[in-house]
Amino acid sequence: APIPTYVLGANDQETVSYFPDVSGCELAENITYLGRRGLYSGTSGLQIAYLSGTEAQGEPAPAYSFSSKDVAELKTSLLSTPNFRGVDILLTSPWPRDVGTFANSAGEIDTKKCGSKLVSDLAASLKPRYHFAALEKAYYERFPYRNHTVLQEAPQHVSRFIALADVGNTSKKKYLYAFSIVPMSSMDPAELVKQPQDVTENPYRKSQKEAWKTRALLCAEEEPACQFFFDLNKHHGKKRPSDGKERGNSQPKQARKPPQPTGPCWFCLASPEVEKHLVVSIGTHCYLALAKGGLLPDHVLILPIGHYQSVVDLSSEVVEEVTKYKSALKEFFRSKGKRYVLFERNYRSQHLQLQVIPVPLDHCTSEDIKESFITQAQEQQIELLEIPEHSDITQVVPPGTPYFYVELDTGQKLFHRIRGRFPLQFGRSV
């Protein structure tokens, strides 16, 4: 070979004979077989973890397969190194099972059925920045995924999974992937943990979430509603009407059920991801929480208890309660000599968050605040329009449309329909 080339081992009985030494060897000049499993460290500090073969279906594992013991030993050897943060590259032959969860489609490949659960487990533990696999003979570049739980763990680098087709395939599917990489050990930590726009949840944490759900269900059978903050069987104030009769309606009204999140959501109140210590108040349909990265100590969020994407998607009873929270906050902040600014960004977000930020009354008028939003929007070529006084955002935009929305405590509203890119921190920076 014209340049140093490193390969994985056999995937079937026919090719076993080409790999004389299971622990790795030189097959020809410039062609090195890495071995059954291990870590290859380049002179630059680049770390490449690898696992050869397919997942064994039984014991003893054939020469072209790996077992759970191989995976456990590889994990242990790497995770025991001091300050282990992950590897730069992971090479496996099989795809990891469920790699397509929360992500872009893998085409004809069904990621729920193909691939190896052991490889998923290995990828979840080793946190590779790049994971390559090629056994399915198809090209697939997955959106990058997170290696940390948002709001609970310190940010970590993202992982990218790339599957390649077989060399020289007649369908001209991509079988070669060229990229430049700076070893993790040489990178600035802040640069390393930057999160790209299209980052998704971790596909391999799904099984952990399912295990949690099962535990929660078992727990609920033994002790009703034990995963909630208070005993839902006790009466807290007026009983919530369940059939519409107590509302004085002649027709029972069916409450619209919120859609279920596609992945772990750290704002759904029943979710294990929710930051319970930040919750200030819980209503029937909404709750109030302190902002984790608040601009001020009394920066709060109004959130629906169920999973709703935006204000436009809310059912009437949730809207009613949001309005109650708004007027309570207005009264509270006014008693402290402040007025609030409320904004919502329905773009690259999955659960509605109404950001409520108080500003001292003597600091600026509502007109000053409005002017600041409009001026900074113009500077960034963002068209911020005023919604007529008696109009509502639901009359301006259909569900599913990305938008940015500002509301002042005087009732004035500004709106921008997002058609392309939008600065995620626009509301905060204003």
Side-chain angles (χ1 to χ4, degrees):
I3 54 168
T5 306
Y6 299 87
V7 299
L8 295 182
N11 284 314
D12 53 41
Q13 191 57 56
E14 289 75 64
T15 48
V16 169
S17 58
Y18 296 121
F19 302 92
D21 185 345
V22 109
S23 58
C25 57
E26 191 169 69
L27 301 178
E29 194 182 339
N30 260 344
I31 300 180
T32 306
Y33 162 47
L34 288 167
R36 188 169 188 133
R37 64 170 195 275
L39 180 75
Y40 175 85
S41 294
T43 49
S44 63
L46 193 74
Q47 292 203 311
I48 303 170
Y50 57 88
L51 181 69
S52 285
T54 56
E55 185 178 325
Q57 298 308 306
E59 290 288 343
Y64 55 87
S65 291
F66 56 83
S67 64
S68 54
K69 190 178 164 205
D70 288 312
V71 171
E73 284 177 10
L74 178 55
K75 274 168 61 176
T76 306
S77 67
L78 289 171
L79 298 177
S80 60
T81 53
N83 306 321
F84 177 79
R85 288 180 296 169
V87 295
D88 291 301
I89 295 170
L90 172 62
L91 301 176
T92 63
S93 287
W95 287 26
R97 177 74 59 87
D98 288 322
V99 68
T101 308
F102 312 135
N104 46 321
S105 164
E108 293 165 17
I109 309 294
D110 183 351
T111 58
K112 287 185 172 67
K113 291 181 182 163
C114 90
S116 157
K117 283 187 177 173
L118 288 177
V119 170
S120 300
D121 180 40
L122 186 65
S125 300
L126 299 192
K127 300 172 185 171
R129 289 163 66 204
Y130 286 87
H131 178 182
F132 293 96
L135 200 62
E136 298 300 325
K137 301 183 176 180
Y139 171 68
Y140 172 51
E141 189 163 351
R142 188 202 187 280
F143 287 154
Y145 62 83
R146 288 187 191 94
N147 282 302
H148 65 278
T149 305
V150 177
L151 300 180
Q152 286 189 27
E153 297 169 326
Q156 295 181 44
H157 61 271
V158 300
S159 291
R160 290 173 163 84
F161 173 74
I162 295 142
L164 296 170
D166 43 336
V167 176
N169 66 84
T170 51
S171 319
K172 296 192 174 171
K173 289 179 194 162
K174 190 169 176 174
Y175 63 84
L176 196 65
Y177 188 91
F179 68 113
S180 66
I181 184 170
V182 175
M184 195 187 290
S185 53
S186 312
M187 283 187 75
D188 170 52
E191 194 64 33
L192 179 66
V193 302
K194 272 189 177 169
Q195 305 291 301
Q197 292 273 15
D198 52 358
V199 69
T200 76
E201 289 298 327
N202 191 310
Y204 315 125
R205 289 199 178 183
K206 181 176 161 240
S207 52
Q208 292 164 17
K209 292 289 169 276
E210 281 167 358
W212 178 85
K213 263 187 200 165
T214 311
R215 278 204 304 276
L217 286 170
L218 291 171
C219 169
E221 280 168 22
E222 290 162 24
E223 186 188 329
C226 63
Q227 72 269 42
F228 287 91
F229 301 23
F230 46 78
D231 185 354
L232 295 177
N233 295 325
K234 287 180 188 166
H235 295 294
H236 294 269
K238 190 170 178 246
K239 186 177 182 292
R240 192 190 320 184
S242 55
D243 57 2
K245 285 174 191 163
E246 291 166 52
R247 291 194 188 96
N249 297 355
S250 53
Q251 286 294 312
K253 185 185 173 190
Q254 288 296 310
R256 184 159 30 124
K257 260 192 160 183
Q260 292 308 300
T262 52
C265 175
W266 48 94
F267 293 114
C268 284
L269 197 52
S271 163
E273 258 85 11
V274 82
E275 295 267 319
K276 295 178 184 177
H277 68 283
L278 295 174
V279 175
V280 176
S281 155
I282 303 172
T284 309
H285 304 290
C286 302
Y287 71 101
L288 199 67
L290 288 169
K292 175 121 188 194
L295 291 167
L296 297 155
D298 44 4
H299 172 176
V300 291
L301 309 177
I302 304 173
L303 305 125
I305 289 171
H307 188 79
Y308 292 95
Q309 171 84 30
S310 72
V311 162
V312 180
D313 297 312
L314 296 180
S315 56
S316 55
E317 59 266 44
V318 186
V319 171
E320 200 179 313
E321 201 168 291
V322 166
T323 309
K324 279 184 187 171
Y325 266 122
K326 279 186 200 171
S327 57
L329 284 170
K330 179 179 177 176
E331 205 176 313
F332 166 70
F333 286 132
R334 286 288 168 123
S335 74
K336 301 283 179 191
K338 298 173 186 179
R339 62 158 50 89
Y340 76 60
V341 183
L342 178 148
F343 67 83
E344 178 201 357
R345 188 194 77 232
N346 178 30
Y347 172 74
R348 295 198 184 278
S349 59
Q350 60 161 345
H351 189 112
L352 162 64
Q353 302 153 60
L354 291 175
Q355 309 271 348
V356 186
I357 297 150
V359 181
L361 283 167
D362 55 8
H363 187 67
C364 53
T365 66
S366 56
E367 281 304 313
D368 293 333
I369 298 167
K370 190 169 110 179
E371 201 53 47
S372 292
F373 270 101
I374 291 167
T375 307
Q376 292 207 37
Q378 284 169 345
E379 280 175 18
Q380 299 196 42
Q381 279 86 48
I382 294 166
E383 188 184 27
L384 209 52
L385 304 170
E386 193 160 354
I387 297 175
E389 198 178 329
H390 300 294
S391 293
D392 188 63
I393 187 166
T394 52
Q395 296 167 281
V396 180
V397 64
T401 307
Y403 63 83
F404 176 79
Y405 166 72
V406 184
E407 190 178 309
L408 305 177
D409 68 353
T410 53
Q412 292 169 291
K413 304 178 188 97
L414 300 170
F415 168 82
H416 168 66
R417 184 170 182 160
I418 299 170
R419 288 191 163 84
R421 283 187 172 274
F422 183 80
L424 297 183
Q425 303 300 334
F426 177 71
R428 290 175 69 91
S429 61
V430 174

